[in-house]
Amino acid sequence: MPSPAVPVPASVPGGDLAGGLPIGLTSRPGRRQPPPRHLADLDPAGRRAAASQLGQQGFRADQLSRHYFARLTDDPADMTDLPAGDRAELAGALLPRLLTAERELTCDEGTTRKTLWRALDGAYIESVLMRYPGRVTMCVSSQAGCGMACPFCATGQAGLTRNLSAAEIVAQVVAGARALAAGEVPGGPGRISNVVFMGMGEPLANYAHVLGAVRRLTDPVPDGLGISQRGITVSTVGLVPAIGRLAGEGLSVRLAVSLHAPDDGLRDELVPVNRRWKVAEVLAAAWAYAAATGRRVSIEYALIRDVNDQAWRADALARLLAGQLAHVNLIPLNPTPGSRWTASRPADMREFEARLAARGVPVTVRDTRGTQIDGACGQLAATDRAGG
Ligand code: SF4
């Protein structure tokens, strides 16, 4: 069940940005022990300060950064440039193993790998690696569970467990990068080129840690993983103040808005946060983001049979987006078990797409692989909790 409604205190990360949420929604993480501090939670200066606190020279932190972000290792045995007597202590204090792979599923001849992770407190999250010709995308979780309660989403039904730390987010990408570098993914050794925050959670409800993760992912090696900012996509259901704050960060990451309906009547039901920030406000924030960054905003629209896939809604969506720096991603919904929400008929999907295209709105239907992945968002963890 979604967590009960609570006023969000300003001291909660993201709380000032997501405050005043409607009944049934929450951005407040559960009362769990936070994960231990990790090097990837800190900027380079913070890492050196942490090394000093351990009685070590600051440059030891730089050495550890190189191991983690360049060599993709957190195993003290690999760290032969550190004094043998200090390796275990340094790695234990600054590179604790935060996530354990509980289960791995592959499809598309091994080029899609979905991992269910267990955090140290037992929380489950998942990530997906997708290799395409010429690029590799990691889809990561930003929260364990989600407090946004979208009724068609398995994760939303389970509610929010807690925010992930920046290092827990980065660890999902490092694990993918390691598998790629080791040649474990068909296609030969490779690198992660794109990261999308479209796994479990509402990224902008965990603003500070997501931003920290974006910095670690995009800082040049060895301070970070050196992924291009343009390769990062942060998605949101429409937390308007947080979109505004992200626009002012001076980053060039892409924003994806999960719209799912062009009219407030339906969106209030499909994306309950719409009761707080209406379609017009969300899109105004999105266009301001596009103006500030020069990046085209991605409008995500899950096509749900007889719910939001009518031709008139395609026309309404086209009117909202006409002339804007936007691109629509249509996602055929892959239903969660036992759900009354299901994918649109292919003919309705084609009609919806054609109506947008006819009005000059750039639109694509997410490919089969993306559909499978999106449909499975939250399902792997949900299945595991059920013992399936
Ligand atoms: S669709 Fe996204 S925002 Fe909505 S409940 Fe699911 S994970 Fe949360």
Side-chain angles (χ1 to χ4, degrees):
M1 289 289 290
S3 307
V6 286
V8 182
S11 59
V12 170
D16 53 332
L17 300 166
L21 293 177
I23 300 292
L25 306 187
T26 181
S27 67
R28 190 165 77 168
R31 287 198 185 88
R32 292 192 173 217
Q33 278 288 99
R37 179 187 62 181
H38 186 284
L39 178 142
D41 290 315
L42 306 170
D43 62 16
R47 292 171 209 167
R48 281 181 219 117
S52 303
Q53 283 164 13
L54 295 168
Q56 297 281 345
Q57 302 270 36
F59 72 87
R60 295 289 179 213
D62 299 339
Q63 289 175 300
L64 285 176
S65 298
R66 188 168 292 282
H67 284 297
Y68 191 62
F69 290 116
R71 303 196 182 101
L72 305 171
T73 182
D74 55 8
D75 183 350
D78 296 334
M79 304 177 187
T80 51
D81 56 341
L82 297 176
D86 293 342
R87 279 176 214 160
E89 189 204 337
L90 269 168
L94 286 172
L95 293 173
R97 190 72 59 89
L98 300 173
L99 301 177
T100 305
E102 192 85 345
R103 195 189 299 179
E104 198 137 71
L105 300 177
T106 58
C107 55
D108 303 308
E109 282 136 20
T111 57
T112 302
R113 293 161 61 111
K114 184 163 44 184
T115 308
L116 174 70
W117 299 102
R118 187 167 41 80
L120 290 172
D121 65 349
Y124 285 99
I125 58 163
E126 57 194 25
S127 64
V128 187
L129 181 152
M130 292 162 278
R131 185 169 212 167
Y132 301 90
R135 73 189 153 97
V136 183
T137 299
M138 278 296 303
C139 175
V140 297
S141 296
S142 56
Q143 298 181 307
C146 182
M148 296 295 123
C150 304
F152 56 88
C153 165
T155 305
Q157 300 318 292
L160 176 65
T161 301
R162 68 168 170 85
N163 284 333
L164 299 189
S165 66
E168 287 175 316
I169 298 168
V170 171
Q172 299 168 58
V173 183
V174 167
R178 198 180 280 143
L180 268 173
E184 291 170 19
V185 183
R191 291 171 54 86
I192 306 279
S193 53
N194 298 75
V195 176
V196 297
F197 285 79
M198 292 185 177
M200 284 181 162
E202 160 55 44
L204 295 187
N206 183 17
Y207 190 92
H209 295 167
V210 164
L211 199 76
V214 168
R215 301 251 184 237
R216 300 301 105 70
L217 297 176
T218 58
D219 277 349
V221 180
D223 288 339
L225 279 173
I227 297 169
S228 164
Q229 287 182 9
R230 299 182 70 81
I232 309 282
T233 299
V234 175
S235 74
T236 181
V237 282
L239 305 188
V240 166
I243 295 172
R245 183 168 166 191
L246 190 65
E249 298 285 358
L251 295 167
S252 56
V253 303
R254 184 186 296 284
L255 179 74
V257 173
S258 300
L259 199 67
H260 305 319
D263 49 311
D264 287 320
L266 179 59
R267 195 166 191 269
D268 280 352
E269 183 188 358
L270 291 183
V271 186
V273 78
N274 197 71
R275 293 175 223 152
R276 175 67 181 81
W277 291 292
K278 298 296 180 190
V279 170
E281 288 174 90
V282 172
L283 290 180
W287 309 149
Y289 185 89
T293 60
R295 299 297 315 270
R296 196 163 68 161
V297 173
S298 192
I299 301 292
E300 308 292 306
Y301 199 104
L303 282 167
I304 309 172
R305 182 182 300 185
D306 298 331
V307 173
N308 66 351
D309 61 355
Q310 303 85 350
W312 72 264
R313 280 202 163 92
D315 295 341
L317 182 62
R319 281 194 295 276
L320 289 177
L321 305 187
Q324 300 291 352
L325 204 55
H327 175 275
V328 178
N329 251 327
L330 296 176
I331 310 153
L333 187 81
N334 201 359
T336 58
S339 165
R340 70 188 170 94
W341 314 90
T342 192
S344 299
R345 296 169 197 87
D348 292 339
M349 240 181 283
R350 283 194 297 273
E351 176 70 13
F352 202 97
E353 181 188 14
R355 281 179 177 256
L356 288 171
R359 284 155 185 78
V361 176
V363 54
T364 44
V365 178
R366 197 179 279 180
D367 68 16
T368 320
R369 170 152 44 168
T371 306
Q372 284 174 355
I373 296 315
D374 187 82
C377 169
Q379 287 183 1
L380 194 57
T383 307
D384 205 76
R385 276 195 298 273

